[in-house]
């Protein structure tokens, strides 16, 4: 029997990479999962249903959460994973690119937490995990908008943690390092090499490494943990 049996979960950005692994691991642990993405999703197996979802669309968020409420009567877990990167230096960053990244990585997290809290607060329970990045806690050359958005996710998560702790709701952030996903594999060899060279373990991680950390944080094993920033980064931030 899984540790999340009977829990109802919503995972964004689940078509590939970390989100796909999170949805799969939560379902394997017993949760009923709604997995969303703007991309087409393959069949993820038992206990996972897929929905098309642009996380910048507040009305679509409301529709999905309403459907979860109608079908299950509750929402126990939200994993805000959907995100995009951008590689522009600050002096070259266009306002359009800034707005695109902030809308998905930061505003999408805000709307997601607002919609989840709509169900979690009346039931006085719930666990939120927001996927940030090591780039939310430290700096590398370029990626100015990505840095800003992922640092904002950390502070938004802490705000949620302290604001709703007395209502039985926990909020934590996970900070992946270099993880083998379509996003990182699409980066330049130079950038990927720089990240891996700076990782004390000397290797990158796999999406399941992040998914297992998320599964722990939303489980009862982490019942006294809220407001933390958990790196899954092979020691990158420990340098």
């Amino acid at each position: 029997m899984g540790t999340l049996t009977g829990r109802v979960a919503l995972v964004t950005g689940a078509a590939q990479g970390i989100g796909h692994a999170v949805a799969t691991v939560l379902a394997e642990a017993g949760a009923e999962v709604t997995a969303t993405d703007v991309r087409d999703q393959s069949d993820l197996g038992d206990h996972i249903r897929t929905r098309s979802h642009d996380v910048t669309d507040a009305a679509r968020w409301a529709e999905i959460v309403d459907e979860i409420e109608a079908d299950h009567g509750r929402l126990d877990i939200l994993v805000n994973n959907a995100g995009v990167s951008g590689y522009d230096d600050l002096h070259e960053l266009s306002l359009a690119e800034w707005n695109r990244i902030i809308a998905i990585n930061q505003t999408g997290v805000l709307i997601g937490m607002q919609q989840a809290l709509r169900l979690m607060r009346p039931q006085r329970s719930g666990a939120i995990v927001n996927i940030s990045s090591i780039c939310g806690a430290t700096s590398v050359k370029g990626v100015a908008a990505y840095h800003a958005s992922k640092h904002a996710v950390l502070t938004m998560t802490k705000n949620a943690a302290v604001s709703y702790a007395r209502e039985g709701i926990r909020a934590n952030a996970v900070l992946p390092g270099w993880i083998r996903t379509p996003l990182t594999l699409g980066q330049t060899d130079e950038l990927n090499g720089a990240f891996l060279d700076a990782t004390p373990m000397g290797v990158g991680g796999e999406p399941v490494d992040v998914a297992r950390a998320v599964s722990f944080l939303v489980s009862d094993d982490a019942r006294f943990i809220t407001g933390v920033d958990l790196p899954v980064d092979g020691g990158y931030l420990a340098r």
Side-chain angles (χ1 to χ4, degrees), residues 188-209:
T188 66
D189 291 343
E190 180 184 9
L191 181 59
N192 286 336
F195 273 115
L196 292 172
D197 287 346
T199 299
M201 285 189 174
V203 296
E206 299 294 334
V208 70
D209 297 318

Side-chain angles (χ1 to χ4, degrees), residues 128-209:
I128 296 169
V129 173
N130 296 322
I131 305 299
S132 178
S133 166
I134 55 174
C135 290
T138 189
S139 296
V140 298
K141 183 181 182 298
V143 300
Y146 186 72
H147 274 307
S149 66
K150 290 301 188 178
H151 182 74
V153 168
L154 300 182
T155 56
M156 293 164 65
T157 302
K158 291 182 185 297
N159 179 270
V162 300
S163 296
Y164 303 105
R166 296 293 178 96
E167 298 181 50
I169 298 164
R170 298 183 298 106
N172 294 292
V174 170
L175 290 71
W178 195 95
I179 305 295
R180 189 181 308 278
T181 69
L183 187 152
T184 55
L185 293 177
Q187 295 174 159
T188 66
D189 291 343
E190 180 184 9
L191 181 59
N192 286 336
F195 273 115
L196 292 172
D197 287 346
T199 299
M201 285 189 174
V203 296
E206 299 294 334
V208 70
D209 297 318

Side-chain angles (χ1 to χ4, degrees), residues 90 93-103 106 144-146 148-149:
L90 190 64
L93 180 63
S94 71
L95 186 57
E97 178 69 351
W98 167 271
N99 287 337
R100 180 184 76 91
I101 293 171
I102 296 298
Q106 182 176 339
Y146 186 72
S149 66

Side-chain angles (χ1 to χ4, degrees), residues 25 171 186:
V25 167

